[in-house]
Amino acid sequence: MALAVVKRRSGADGAHPRPGTAARDRAAWFLVLPALLPILILSVGPLLYGIALAFTDAQSGRTRSTQWIGTLNFQDLLHDTLFWDSFRIGLLWAFGVTVPQFLLALGLALLLNQKLRLRWLARALAIIPWAMPEVVVGIMWRLVYNPDAGILNETLRDLGLGDGRDWLTGLATALPAVILVGIWAGMPQTTVALLAGLQNTPHELHEAAALDGAGAWRRFRTVTWPAIKPIALAISALNLIWNFNSFALVYVLTSGGPGGRTRLPMLFAYEEAFRYGQFGYAAAMGCVMVAVISVILACYLVGRISAGGEQR
């Protein structure tokens, strides 16, 4: 009898759910719905539509009918050397921006974490590039790289290092010049994230390591890095995804030129869709890029899960 009473009170027999549970579930869904609807309408919906479009021969033009062609777009994509060249350039761009960006941001965050005079001003100035729209950044750096009156070439001439060059149209200099702009534009975001991690690191750990005779490098390796490692992995993964998906900055700087040397996959898909009207083929390119991003996210999540298991 006592056991039956306990079961009825706890709901363990599953026959009588607790009163109000269904109402709470409905209320929870009602509260989540305003945030969920924009995601479904603006993100999930277009993604599914783009995936479906990749299996058609959709092209521009009102009078042209769209036919289902299966995997033909993907088969053509496998033999499209121009796309795979852009894919290689996209990987070079993504890693060429993300790795130096992280290293420089880590050094700047360590510097801004020190007790310096006017540190507040330095922190404010450090985030200015982050607050600027990518189009404005691109226009500004085009002026910097201007072959005739740009500040870079003028400085080189004043120092007697040559007459300067056209950095954004040279086959050998276009991609490095664009990568430099990407590093400058994205470094503040990484700096802010790492600085937040550094400020949450207990000072007692650094003091204890210093009393044990640990030098600066050893303190960084044993105290600082373990504390900011989760943040570093997260921001690096996000930066890699954002950089691989870059469009506006490179489009303003070079529009993919010269000779396709800075044509990132996003630029290639944009040209196929809106310059040549091949919407189905461009959607297939988008599916490939989504797959690459999914692999990066999967690697990041596996790493986080493994790290969490080791900590436990």
Side-chain angles (χ1 to χ4, degrees):
M1 178 67 70
L3 182 59
V5 172
V6 171
K7 284 186 176 182
R8 276 199 300 272
R9 289 180 178 176
S10 62
D13 57 355
H16 303 286
R18 293 181 180 179
T21 301
R24 284 197 299 270
D25 290 343
R26 287 195 297 269
W29 278 109
F30 181 76
L31 294 173
V32 170
L33 199 59
L36 190 61
L37 277 178
I39 296 175
L40 293 175
I41 296 173
L42 301 177
S43 297
V44 179
L47 175 63
L48 296 177
Y49 177 72
I51 293 174
L53 202 66
F55 295 92
T56 68
D57 62 348
Q59 297 181 11
S60 60
R62 290 185 176 180
T63 60
R64 192 186 183 284
S65 60
T66 299
Q67 303 294 329
W68 183 269
I69 59 174
T71 60
L72 186 59
N73 284 328
F74 294 95
Q75 294 175 23
D76 293 340
L77 202 58
L78 288 175
H79 304 287
D80 192 341
T81 57
L82 292 178
F83 172 72
W84 294 112
D85 283 343
S86 74
F87 199 85
R88 176 183 58 82
I89 293 170
L91 291 177
L92 287 174
W93 154 267
F95 284 97
V97 172
T98 302
V99 175
Q101 193 178 82
F102 173 78
L103 296 176
L104 293 173
L106 179 59
L108 183 58
L110 290 172
L111 179 63
L112 295 177
N113 196 44
Q114 303 299 317
K115 295 181 179 180
L116 304 174
R117 295 181 61 183
L118 299 178
R119 182 174 60 175
W120 62 271
L121 180 60
R123 290 179 176 178
L125 294 175
I127 64 173
I128 288 178
W130 188 19
M132 297 173 63
E134 286 188 325
V135 174
V136 176
V137 173
I139 294 172
M140 182 185 71
W141 276 91
R142 285 198 64 159
L143 296 175
V144 172
Y145 285 135
N146 187 280
D148 298 320
I151 188 174
L152 178 58
N153 281 341
E154 288 292 334
T155 303
L156 293 176
R157 293 188 190 102
D158 293 341
L159 295 176
L161 299 177
D163 295 330
R165 60 196 307 171
D166 196 345
W167 299 94
L168 295 177
T169 59
L171 295 178
T173 60
L175 185 58
V178 173
I179 287 176
L180 178 63
V181 179
I183 294 171
W184 181 86
M187 193 172 68
Q189 179 181 357
T190 309
T191 301
V192 170
L194 294 176
L195 183 59
L198 290 173
Q199 290 179 334
N200 288 328
T201 305
H203 292 286
E204 294 79 6
L205 297 179
H206 289 279
E207 294 174 356
L211 290 175
D212 290 340
W217 168 248
R218 187 178 175 186
R219 289 199 303 272
F220 172 81
R221 184 169 54 86
T222 59
V223 177
T224 304
W225 178 248
I228 66 172
K229 184 178 178 180
I231 297 176
L233 293 176
I235 196 64
S236 297
L238 291 175
N239 283 340
L240 191 62
I241 293 171
W242 288 330
N243 291 326
F244 185 76
N245 286 330
S246 292
F247 174 81
L249 184 62
V250 181
Y251 184 78
V252 173
L253 286 169
T254 64
S255 298
R261 295 300 176 92
T262 60
R263 185 188 290 128
L264 305 182
M266 279 293 179
L267 285 172
F268 196 100
Y270 170 81
E271 290 178 350
E272 286 293 324
F274 299 105
R275 179 175 294 182
Y276 305 115
Q278 301 294 330
F279 295 132
Y281 194 54
M285 295 180 185
C287 289
V288 173
M289 288 182 276
V290 168
V292 172
I293 294 170
S294 300
V295 170
I296 296 174
L297 282 175
C299 293
Y300 166 69
L301 292 175
V302 168
R304 288 302 305 270
I305 293 172
S306 300
E310 292 176 357
Q311 290 177 358
R312 283 195 295 269

